[in-house]
Amino acid sequence: MRDDARMEQRISLITLGVSDLRSAMDFYAGLSWKGSSPDGDVAFFQAGGMVLGLWNRAKLAEDSGVTDSGGWGGVTLAHNVRSPAEVDAVIDQVGPTGGKVLRPGAETFWGGYSGAFCDPDGHPWEVAHNPSWTIGDDGSVTLP
Amino acid sequence: MRDDARMEQRISLITLGVSDLRSAMDFYAGLSWKGSSPDGDVAFFQAGGMVLGLWNRAKLAEDSGVTDSGGWGGVTLAHNVRSPAEVDAVIDQVGPTGGKVLRPGAETFWGGYSGAFCDPDGHPWEVAHNPSWTIGDDGSVTLP
């Protein structure tokens, strides 16, 4: 909040509800992500300047104060890369890991190139090359 | 992908499906977030080294290759702050802006302090102080 008591413009953590922590961790490990579970209940992956968490979906719903209607709930993650070829390379990694390719890499209506996959719990990720967004050496993304 | 063809460990964009772009933008603007819509269809907010997007939920579902079952879908965002007092200050901002406080700030079972709110489309955010996580001057969060 600093001096002016405003909410800083950033997201610290995204927690994905999962049905089986080990299977979900194995999926992200299959995409070369390194994380750990301090207690066998929740898992955390450092993701640039933020954190990806995995936690039992029913516990997450209760903790979040929401009712779980099942299925997808209007949130899609994206992983932006530096070229269309990198989109294809990421999508190619998904096959053997318990996830599902939702669409292969292809040109998009907004002038980029993207594909999409979901993890074993159905959480969708777009893998995208957006030529108008800048990706820094540290992977951070900056809007035009 | 760099040399070793691995997926880099980062998230570039989180897109939240919304029913009315202007109302959703107004909500985040009410939390002091600055963003813009290049086309009146999608809106982007720079959020540290990543981006928060707002887009029509039906279009997002179609683009993501998923079926929309309505309601919450197992994803909760979190905004970590530097003290319990900052948790309360963020939660206090939510009232007049079209969101809903899901739970006020309180001590948590994991040794921190947090509250939660949802935006006008029901996307929940936890606002948390986790004494074991480090928050940098730029707002980035680092696991222990």
Side-chain angles (χ1 to χ4, degrees):
Chain A
M1 305 306 289
R2 304 303 174 87
D3 294 342
D4 55 358
R6 295 187 173 183
M7 184 181 183
E8 292 176 31
Q9 196 159 326
R10 55 185 177 72
I11 300 167
S12 309
L13 167 69
I14 302 172
T15 305
L16 303 180
V18 303
S19 60
D20 181 84
L21 184 69
R22 177 50 54 188
S23 299
M25 288 185 72
D26 286 350
F27 173 77
Y28 287 97
L31 292 176
S32 314
W33 284 43
K34 296 185 198 320
S36 64
S37 175
D39 56 5
D41 188 47
V42 65
F44 295 120
F45 296 77
Q46 185 75 43
M50 57 166 299
V51 174
L52 176 70
L54 305 173
W55 195 26
N56 176 275
R57 181 163 166 155
K59 290 181 182 175
L60 180 62
E62 183 179 1
D63 192 67
S64 300
V66 296
T67 301
D68 186 4
S69 52
W72 183 76
V75 182
T76 295
L77 307 180
H79 178 82
N80 278 44
V81 295
R82 297 173 180 81
S83 69
E86 290 186 23
V87 171
D88 293 336
V90 172
I91 296 290
D92 283 347
Q93 285 189 283
V94 173
T97 59
K100 183 173 138 193
V101 175
L102 296 169
R103 53 180 170 80
E107 292 185 7
T108 67
F109 70 91
W110 43 265
Y113 185 94
S114 81
F117 67 86
C118 66
D119 75 9
D121 291 281
H123 298 297
W125 286 74
E126 180 175 38
V127 183
H129 174 241
N130 184 331
S132 69
W133 289 15
T134 303
I135 302 183
D137 287 341
D138 64 353
S140 62
V141 172
T142 306
L143 291 170
Chain B
M1 305 303 292
R2 307 300 175 86
D3 295 343
D4 56 358
R6 295 187 174 181
M7 183 180 183
E8 292 175 31
Q9 194 158 329
R10 55 187 177 72
I11 299 166
S12 309
L13 168 68
I14 303 172
T15 306
L16 303 180
V18 303
S19 60
D20 181 82
L21 184 69
R22 178 51 53 190
S23 298
M25 288 184 72
D26 285 350
F27 172 76
Y28 287 98
L31 292 176
S32 313
W33 284 43
K34 296 184 197 319
S36 64
S37 174
D39 56 5
D41 189 48
V42 65
F44 295 121
F45 296 77
Q46 185 76 43
M50 59 168 297
V51 175
L52 176 71
L54 305 173
W55 196 26
N56 176 274
R57 181 163 166 155
K59 291 181 182 175
L60 180 61
E62 183 180 0
D63 193 69
S64 301
V66 297
T67 301
D68 186 4
S69 51
W72 184 76
V75 182
T76 294
L77 307 181
H79 178 82
N80 280 44
V81 293
R82 296 172 180 83
S83 69
E86 290 187 22
V87 172
D88 293 336
V90 172
I91 296 291
D92 283 346
Q93 285 190 282
V94 173
T97 60
K100 184 174 138 191
V101 175
L102 297 168
R103 53 180 171 78
E107 292 186 6
T108 68
F109 71 90
W110 43 264
Y113 184 93
S114 82
F117 68 85
C118 66
D119 74 11
D121 291 281
H123 298 297
W125 287 74
E126 181 176 38
V127 183
H129 174 242
N130 184 331
S132 69
W133 288 16
T134 303
I135 301 182
D137 286 341
D138 64 354
S140 63
V141 172
T142 307
L143 292 170

